[in-house]
Amino acid sequence: MVVVTGQSKVSATPDDAMSSSDAEDDFQEPATPTATQAGQALPLLPQQFPEVVPLNVGGMFFTTRLSTLRRYEDTMLAAMFSGRHYIPTDAEGRYFIDRDGTYFGDILNFLRSGDLPPRERVRSVYKEAQYYSIGPLLDNLEDIQPLKGEKVRQAFLGLMPYYKEHLERIIEIAKLRAMQRKARFAKLKVCVFKEEMPITPYECPHFNSLRFERSESETKLFEHHCEVDVSFGPWEAVADVYDLLHCIVTDLSARGITVDHQCIGVCDKHLINHYYCKRPIYEFKITWW
């Protein structure tokens, strides 16, 4: 076999013959290093930042000191501007962060002097503090309204079995009924009861006392599911039925759902002897547009 390179010809005997692919490998011109190869051969130097840092956060411009961005070591901003990571710049040389900058000024104000946002922006700034992992700001925001009250509310809702699942069921049922009827709104029945045992006109027990006064076999006689779409309860807390109704309406409204409710009576299911269910039934009206 004869391998031709340029103008020269080289004869090869069978013993030292090589394939064309081997020859191409041996005589191939050195290729331009790829970005990966270049990175391995020439590691990038740590990025240097000026003492006064111009920022472009989602199209909004800010200027701050480098020490402000590095105020707390365990935050995303401190890591981004530590020099270990590359931060791109825009056409004007500002360091670019691909994040909505609406509340970034509140983040900077806390890093600068510990200032907290006004109440109407607390929830939004809290989300930004979560994104940037600013633990001290999260701790401060959780200790003021409305987040402090929300922690108390969630502690109560933690006693409610399947609360979130029941909310989803309300939304799903209302959506299906409105679509089936081609209607602007849909109605459904919701039972909200605090005591596990029913209250009858013939007895008005103390909180959950019936459960302890009757045997297990007697208790089963009072087990009952009201004929409603969704039931909430029972629970053991000072908060009452109206408090839970407020939570339901608040959480549905937070999802952009318009809801009205009213008590339309009680469950009249006969259980045993002179005992009837008597749990309150509420009509929920979900308006879709």
Side-chain angles (χ1 to χ4, degrees):
M1 180 177 67
V2 178
V3 179
V4 180
T5 58
Q7 300 296 325
S8 61
K9 297 182 180 180
V10 180
S11 297
T13 63
D15 293 337
D16 59 358
M18 64 175 67
S19 67
S20 60
S21 60
D22 293 337
E24 290 172 357
D25 291 341
D26 288 345
F27 295 96
Q28 197 173 27
E29 289 292 330
T32 302
T34 63
T36 302
Q37 293 169 337
Q40 294 173 349
L42 298 172
L44 295 175
L45 296 175
Q47 191 171 11
Q48 301 295 320
F49 298 102
E51 180 59 31
V52 178
V53 182
L55 298 169
N56 177 346
V57 185
M60 300 183 68
F61 305 143
F62 302 89
T63 303
T64 189
R65 292 173 63 93
L66 182 61
S67 58
T68 298
L69 297 171
R70 296 175 176 175
R71 177 63 53 85
Y72 298 103
E73 294 181 357
D74 296 332
T75 67
M76 179 185 292
L77 289 173
M80 292 172 65
F81 290 91
S82 64
R84 301 190 303 269
H85 307 282
Y86 175 75
I87 308 297
T89 57
D90 63 12
E92 302 299 325
R94 304 182 187 92
Y95 294 97
F96 181 71
I97 299 176
D98 194 9
R99 180 77 175 176
D100 187 350
T102 304
Y103 302 102
F104 192 75
D106 293 302
I107 298 293
L108 286 181
N109 286 337
F110 177 78
L111 295 177
R112 288 165 175 155
S113 55
D115 292 342
L116 297 176
R119 181 175 177 177
E120 62 271 16
R121 295 207 299 269
V122 165
R123 293 183 185 274
S124 298
V125 176
Y126 186 82
K127 292 180 180 179
E128 294 304 295
Q130 287 179 312
Y131 176 79
Y132 292 110
S133 301
I134 306 176
L137 177 53
L138 291 172
D139 293 339
N140 278 272
L141 293 176
E142 288 175 355
D143 201 38
I144 62 176
Q145 289 287 57
L147 295 183
K148 188 171 186 177
E150 181 61 18
K151 289 177 67 175
V152 177
R153 191 178 80 97
Q154 290 299 327
F156 161 58
L157 292 179
L159 303 175
M160 194 64 51
Y162 309 109
Y163 175 76
K164 293 183 179 179
E165 291 80 358
H166 290 339
L167 285 184
E168 295 297 331
R169 181 169 174 78
I170 288 176
I171 296 172
E172 188 63 24
I173 292 174
K175 182 181 71 172
L176 290 176
R177 288 182 181 171
M179 293 179 67
Q180 289 170 354
R181 297 175 58 246
K182 308 298 187 293
R184 180 168 171 251
F185 61 87
K187 295 180 179 179
L188 62 158
K189 293 181 179 180
V190 177
C191 179
V192 181
F193 62 101
K194 180 176 180 179
E195 286 81 7
E196 186 172 2
M197 289 298 175
I199 299 176
T200 73
Y202 305 101
E203 62 178 333
C204 188
H206 295 292
F207 178 71
N208 277 344
S209 62
L210 286 175
R211 181 174 53 185
F212 301 105
E213 293 177 358
R214 296 187 177 124
S215 66
E216 183 177 351
S217 60
E218 291 174 326
T219 298
K220 290 183 179 180
L221 296 175
F222 291 87
E223 291 181 354
H224 163 63
H225 297 286
C226 303
E227 295 181 0
V228 295
D229 297 298
V230 181
S231 290
F232 290 85
W235 67 90
E236 295 185 18
V238 174
D240 60 19
V241 169
Y242 297 104
D243 296 320
L244 181 59
L245 286 170
H246 181 272
C247 290
I248 296 171
V249 173
T250 298
D251 290 333
L252 291 175
S253 299
R255 299 178 60 170
I257 297 174
T258 302
V259 54
D260 297 299
H261 69 280
Q262 62 176 342
C263 183
I264 58 174
V266 295
C267 177
D268 285 324
K269 177 70 175 179
H270 178 253
L271 300 178
I272 182 175
N273 297 332
H274 56 278
Y275 291 101
Y276 293 81
C277 176
K278 299 302 180 183
R279 290 170 179 169
I281 306 298
Y282 294 85
E283 181 183 75
F284 273 56
K285 180 182 177 181
I286 306 295
T287 303
W288 291 107
W289 82 85

